[in-house]
Amino acid sequence: MRFPKIAAAASVVLLAAACGGGADSDGGGDADSLTVWVMGTSQPPLVEYFEGAEARFQENNPDVDVNVEFIPWPDAQESITNALAGGDAPDVIEIGNDQVAGWASQGALLDITEQVGGWDASGDIDPNALEYGTYDGVQYGVPWFSGVRTLYYRADWLQELGHEPPATWDDLLTVAEDIREEYDVPGFAAPTDFTNGIASFIWSNGGEIATQNAEGEWEGNLTDPATVEAVEFYADLTNDGVSPQGYVGENELVPLADMANGQVGMYIDGGWALTAMEEQAEDPAVLEEIVAAPIPGADGIAPAFAGGSALSVFSTTQQPELAFELLTVLGDQEGGKGYADAAGFFPAYPDLLADDEYQKDPARVAAATQMQNTAFFPSTPRWTAADQDSKILPGAVLEIVNGGDPEEVLAAANEQLTTILNEPVE
């Protein structure tokens, strides 16, 4: 197995034809290697994982090597764009699960609907996550692993106050107020530039951001009473002083640093935040008191966006059948769980989450429980334009915090959302 060192994507488009991992350029002959693009950086547990995956793959394909290339996330878009233009390209590729529709619409991913339909393991994958790998009814990716956000809180403070972790909105308000009174710090952080957090409040109240009608048109749901109530509740966390003004206009990175230094009692973030807290904490002892729980919803656990990655077959591969076979080795229960464990995430197979290793490990049980309460954003390439480019939902919350009428603000946001989601895909 080869693990080339991957630098930033080249600034010029390579002119050589995509080689498809070592197959003859005319598409004939047998492959002697397949290339997998993995997003992120090489780490010893990941190298060990891919060595094992190659050994499994070579049980049926002894003469085919697996060439793994790590692409830093910031370089992913340029690398994939260059590959589409005729540069070096993979056979199998990791794609952010919220990016599948976008790259599928640009012709980067192969239609694997038939292959997935005949793959036994697909019946055990989270069906909602599997659906999120489609675009226009065509399957382009299968879930590889998932990660969710949870509620981080100061366990020592809650114990001293006689509270359990909040399970509902009412609990959240009570615990936050008691933290503020006892420790003179904000009880909860509600940054306004935080679509993932805001969405959990919406979903927990029975609301939606947008849905697709029978004709395939997207309809914004920001004016639905359940959505309005949830957005107003989130904004009022700031307006009522539960969350400080310092988080207005900010994302979750600001409260992360405060959490690491005892300056806030609770906030929402993913498991990856713990490493960042270690870098931010002035007193490492504080980190020992930071524990996670599922996100509190209106009446119970709130759904969280199931972030993560999908595995896809790149459209220019010259060995599509072999590439899909490699995908199944990486993405079946053994391969999917192996990578999730090595990378610090969770497998996309709900039944596995009931295992003791997830349910009895204090560091993982909250996220494992949260993984059984998930939701997804609109599966369209236009979601990026609506959220990351236009910041429709965070912008609406910001306006409300700044004094805007919730119903008027959300009506305007809903019109903008519906328009953007239905714009033609370029």
Side-chain angles (χ1 to χ4, degrees):
M1 171 172 290
R2 292 172 289 155
F3 288 89
K5 181 183 289 186
I6 299 299
S11 59
V12 295
V13 174
L14 301 178
L15 300 179
C19 65
D24 294 343
S25 60
D26 62 1
D30 296 327
D32 54 30
S33 70
L34 293 176
T35 297
V36 181
W37 277 8
V38 182
M39 301 303 151
T41 57
S42 175
Q43 300 170 19
L46 304 184
V47 172
E48 182 179 353
Y49 163 80
F50 280 109
E51 288 174 345
E54 182 184 46
R56 286 184 64 208
F57 178 71
Q58 289 181 336
E59 291 175 3
N60 294 325
N61 305 281
D63 298 324
V64 183
D65 293 328
V66 177
N67 177 29
V68 180
E69 300 182 359
F70 289 89
I71 310 293
W73 277 108
D75 302 332
Q77 178 150 343
E78 186 175 2
S79 297
I80 297 173
T81 300
N82 286 348
L84 276 173
D88 289 338
D91 298 284
V92 177
I93 186 169
E94 174 190 355
I95 297 285
N97 65 351
D98 59 345
Q99 299 171 357
V100 171
W103 286 116
S105 71
Q106 296 181 53
L109 311 179
L110 202 66
D111 176 354
I112 54 174
T113 307
E114 184 177 349
Q115 293 94 323
V116 171
W119 180 33
D120 290 342
S122 66
D124 297 320
I125 295 175
D126 179 350
N128 292 323
L130 191 63
E131 176 68 20
Y132 205 55
T134 66
Y135 171 61
D136 273 356
V138 176
Q139 195 80 45
Y140 288 101
V142 297
W144 196 15
F145 62 83
S146 295
V148 289
R149 287 165 174 80
T150 55
L151 178 78
Y152 286 104
Y153 66 94
R154 281 291 298 265
D156 54 339
W157 290 357
L158 265 63
Q159 183 177 15
E160 291 169 4
L161 293 168
H163 287 307
E164 295 293 325
T168 67
W169 289 356
D170 287 343
D171 293 344
L172 180 69
L173 294 175
T174 298
V175 174
E177 176 62 20
D178 286 353
I179 289 174
R180 186 188 65 79
E181 289 186 359
E182 181 68 22
Y183 302 104
D184 196 27
V185 300
F188 179 71
T192 60
D193 188 8
F194 190 25
T195 298
N196 286 291
I198 300 166
S200 283
F201 281 75
I202 291 172
W203 291 326
S204 85
N205 203 41
E208 291 287 350
I209 297 171
T211 54
Q212 206 168 13
N213 63 27
E215 289 72 40
E217 295 291 311
W218 286 96
E219 298 175 348
N221 294 137
L222 301 185
T223 55
D224 180 88
T227 302
V228 174
E229 181 181 35
V231 172
E232 190 169 6
F233 178 87
Y234 189 88
D236 282 347
L237 291 170
T238 300
N239 290 333
D240 294 342
V242 177
S243 178
Q245 289 288 327
Y247 299 146
V248 174
E250 301 290 351
N251 59 28
E252 65 268 38
L253 295 179
V254 176
L256 181 152
D258 289 344
M259 189 77 197
N261 290 292
Q263 297 302 308
V264 69
M266 299 179 288
Y267 97 116
I268 295 170
D269 209 340
W272 48 87
L274 292 173
T275 300
M277 286 188 208
E278 292 175 358
E279 299 172 354
Q280 297 276 354
E282 297 176 5
D283 179 5
V286 171
L287 301 180
E288 298 178 5
E289 303 295 344
I290 297 175
V291 181
I295 299 172
D299 298 305
I301 296 177
F305 171 60
S309 286
L311 289 171
S312 300
V313 176
F314 205 73
S315 59
T316 60
T317 181
Q318 309 218 354
Q319 297 289 336
E321 293 183 4
L322 202 58
F324 184 78
E325 183 178 346
L326 176 57
L327 181 153
T328 65
V329 170
L330 300 175
D332 62 9
Q333 285 205 15
E334 179 178 347
K337 180 182 183 304
Y339 189 83
D341 290 346
F345 290 97
F346 291 89
Y349 295 88
D351 289 348
L352 295 180
L353 298 176
D355 291 352
D356 285 351
E357 66 181 288
Y358 299 113
Q359 293 298 330
K360 293 187 177 181
D361 180 352
R364 306 173 82 177
V365 64
T369 300
Q370 187 68 69
M371 278 295 304
Q372 298 177 54
N373 297 271
T374 60
F376 296 88
F377 293 119
S379 181
T380 166
R382 299 300 300 162
W383 173 244
T384 298
D387 182 46
Q388 296 182 22
D389 298 341
S390 299
K391 292 187 177 293
I392 293 176
L393 193 53
V397 172
L398 182 61
E399 282 192 56
I400 295 169
V401 168
N402 287 331
D405 178 84
E407 292 189 358
E408 292 180 3
V409 169
L410 288 170
N414 199 60
E415 183 176 348
Q416 183 186 14
L417 177 64
T418 300
T419 298
I420 290 178
L421 293 184
N422 288 302
E423 287 176 348
V425 177
E426 298 180 358

